[in-house]
Amino acid sequence: RFLEDIGVSRGRDASEEDKEDRLDMGSPNIGALLTGKPNKTHGSTDSSQTCISHEASLPSNAPGVAVGEEETINLTWIGHSSTIVAFPGDFTILTDPHFSNYAGPVRRNAPPAFGVADLPDVVDCVLISHDHMDHLDYWSILALIESNKVKIWIVPLGLKSWLMDKAGVSPEDIVELEWWEGVRISKAPKRKDLNENKQRTLLPEVDGLVRAYEMSGKRKCDREQISSGMPDRNELVITCAPAQHWCSRTPFDRNRRLWCSFAVHSTPALSKTHSFYFAGDTGLPPNFPLHHQIGDRLGPFDLSAIPIGAYEPDWFMRETHCNPAEAVKIHQAVKSRRSVAIHFDTFDLADEPREEPPKLLLNEVGVVNKKIGKMATEMVAITSEIGISTGRNGHLVKEESVKDIAALSQAGLTKVVKANEQLLEMLPPLVDFAVIRQGQSIESLPK
C-alpha cells in the first residue's frame, strides 16, 4: 500500500478490499450538517475551549445545497488541508483532497467530515499544492476520477505527469502552472427566469493562461483588472503563488516538482470580485517578505485558509511549517480580512499535542488584537494632548464612520471615536482568524 501511495501502483484496477481499507469515506454526519443538527466532533481537541462556535449547518452555497448568486465565499473544512469552497458566480473548488484513512504510514485520527459521494455534482476545480502524501492522496484521486465530478485539475509544475501516469487523469483536464502564473476559467451565469429544477448543469471552460505580474514583480494590471471584462460570464482566475516548502514522493525525487499556494479571484457577471487565498503548506521565511509579496501582488483577500499545525520540534519543522503565531503573521502579510485554520488535528505529523495549535492560535489572536487596541488608545491620547484635529475639517469623527468600531469598542476603546480618520488608517486591522471543527463552515465577511 505504501508503494501504491507513492505512485508504484497497480493502476486503476486496485482491488475493492484495498480501496475500502484506505478509503473509509462514508460520513453519517453530512446529513446532520444539512439538517442543521449538531455535528459529531472527533478526536481529543477540547472544542468548547478552542473553537469558535458555529452551528453545524451549511449555508445555501455550501456543498450539497444548490448554489446561487451568493455575496460571500463559503468554506467547509473537510479535514487537514482539504476544504470545499463555494464562490459567488456558481464556482466550487476543492483543495488538497484527502479522504483516506492514511497519509503514507500515518493513520488518520478521525474520519473526514464527509466523503467524495457527499460532494456537489460538479466540482469546477481541484487545487493541489504539492506532492506530499498528506496533500496528494493516490486513493482520493482515484475516487474523485471515478465520481466524474471534477472538471479541472490545477497543479504546480511537475504534477501533471504524475496525475496522468499514476492516476489516469486526462491531460486535457489538467492545468499546470508555475509561480505567478494563473488560469482564467469562466461559465455562463444561471438563468434567473428558470427555477432550480429546470436549470441545466453549467460546466466551466478554460479561457487561457494569464500573468498579472511580470517575473520581475512589475505590476501589469490592477487587482480589479484581473477579470477579462466579459460582463456576460462568471469568471474565476486562479493564480499559482509561492510557498516556503519542498516536495518528495520517494527518497529519489526530492524537489523534482514544484510546490505552491493559490490565490483565487471570482467575479460573477456584472458584480464585484471576491478573493480567497489557500496557503497550502508553508513556513514563514525569517528574512524574505514572501507573504507580503503575495499580499501586495494578489491581495487583499476576503478569506484565507492558513495552516497552523505540525511545527514541533522547531529546529526541524520551522523551515517548512508555520506555528500559530507565524500563521497570524501570514494572515496579516497577505492582507486577509478573515482567515480559518487548517492543517492540524487530522494527522499526527509532528510532536506538539493535537489540542495545542488552536489554543495557541486563539491566544495569539488575543495578544495581537490587544496590542492593536493599545496602539489605538495611545494614538488617541497623543492626538488629544498635542491638539491635532480629530476629524476632517476639524470636526469629530462620527462613531458610525469609524472602521471596526464595534470590535474596537468591545476591546474597551470607546475613545477611538475621537481618532483622526487618516491616523486610524495607519493602524493594522484587528485580526479575524477563526478555528472551526471539521465539517463546519465559515463565510467571508460581506463586501
Side-chain angles (χ1 to χ4, degrees), residues 420-437:
N420 184 285
E421 285 183 336
Q422 293 180 343
L423 291 176
L424 194 63
E425 287 287 343
M426 297 170 59
L427 288 171
L430 291 173
V431 173
D432 185 346
F433 204 138
V435 177
I436 61 175
R437 300 181 184 94

Side-chain angles (χ1 to χ4, degrees), residues 35 112 196 287 319 356 433 442:
T35 56
E196 194 67 32
N287 300 311
E319 295 297 327
E356 182 179 276
F433 204 138
I442 188 170

Side-chain angles (χ1 to χ4, degrees), residues 282 307-312 314 321-328 330 360-361:
T282 187
I308 67 167
Y311 50 82
E312 291 290 351
D314 179 70
H321 289 154
C322 60
N323 61 37
E326 292 168 334
V328 171
I330 291 174
L360 292 184
L361 174 69

Side-chain angles (χ1 to χ4, degrees), residues 35-189:
T35 56
K37 296 179 181 179
N39 189 23
K40 181 179 179 181
T41 302
H42 301 281
S44 60
T45 302
D46 185 357
S47 302
S48 63
Q49 307 211 358
T50 62
C51 294
I52 292 177
S53 178
H54 290 264
E55 288 297 322
S57 60
L58 297 180
S60 59
N61 62 336
V65 183
V67 179
E69 300 299 326
E70 303 293 338
E71 291 302 319
T72 58
I73 300 170
N74 177 275
L75 177 148
T76 301
W77 186 35
I78 299 172
H80 202 54
S81 294
S82 302
T83 69
I84 186 79
V85 190
F87 291 87
D90 194 21
F91 290 105
T92 301
I93 68 169
L94 177 63
T95 66
D96 285 353
H98 200 300
F99 301 95
S100 297
N101 287 329
Y102 291 87
V106 182
R107 185 173 178 84
R108 198 181 192 107
N109 289 324
F114 50 89
V116 172
D118 301 307
L119 297 175
D121 292 336
V122 174
V123 177
D124 296 288
C125 303
V126 167
L127 310 183
I128 299 177
S129 63
H130 63 295
D131 68 3
H132 286 161
M133 294 179 193
D134 56 323
H135 295 258
L136 175 61
D137 178 57
Y138 170 75
W139 295 96
S140 297
I141 300 300
L142 289 187
L144 286 167
I145 295 170
E146 292 174 358
S147 74
N148 200 33
K149 293 183 175 184
V150 178
K151 305 310 171 186
I152 304 170
W153 303 77
I154 300 179
V155 298
L157 287 178
L159 275 180
K160 181 175 182 177
S161 60
W162 189 95
L163 288 175
M164 292 167 52
D165 299 340
K166 308 301 182 184
V169 180
S170 172
E172 292 80 13
D173 297 334
I174 307 172
V175 177
E176 193 175 56
L177 302 172
E178 62 177 331
W179 287 350
W180 305 120
E181 188 176 37
V183 59
R184 179 180 289 114
I185 298 165
S186 68
K187 64 167 60 173

Side-chain angles (χ1 to χ4, degrees), residues 180-182 210-214 217-223 225-226 237 239 297-298:
W180 305 120
E181 188 176 37
V210 297
R211 186 182 288 278
Y213 300 87
E214 302 282 5
K218 183 179 179 181
R219 181 183 290 269
K220 289 180 65 178
C221 65
D222 293 329
R223 176 183 178 276
Q225 294 175 323
I226 289 177
V237 175
T239 305
R297 295 184 177 190
L298 298 168

Side-chain angles (χ1 to χ4, degrees), residues 222-259:
D222 293 329
R223 176 183 178 276
E224 294 300 328
Q225 294 175 323
I226 289 177
S227 171
S228 68
M230 294 188 294
D232 59 338
R233 303 277 291 178
N234 295 337
E235 289 189 353
L236 194 71
V237 175
I238 300 174
T239 305
C240 176
Q244 179 167 292
H245 205 60
W246 59 290
C247 278
S248 179
R249 295 286 292 184
T250 76
F252 313 106
D253 64 350
R254 187 179 178 91
N255 293 342
R256 298 283 183 89
R257 308 177 186 94
L258 194 60
W259 55 94

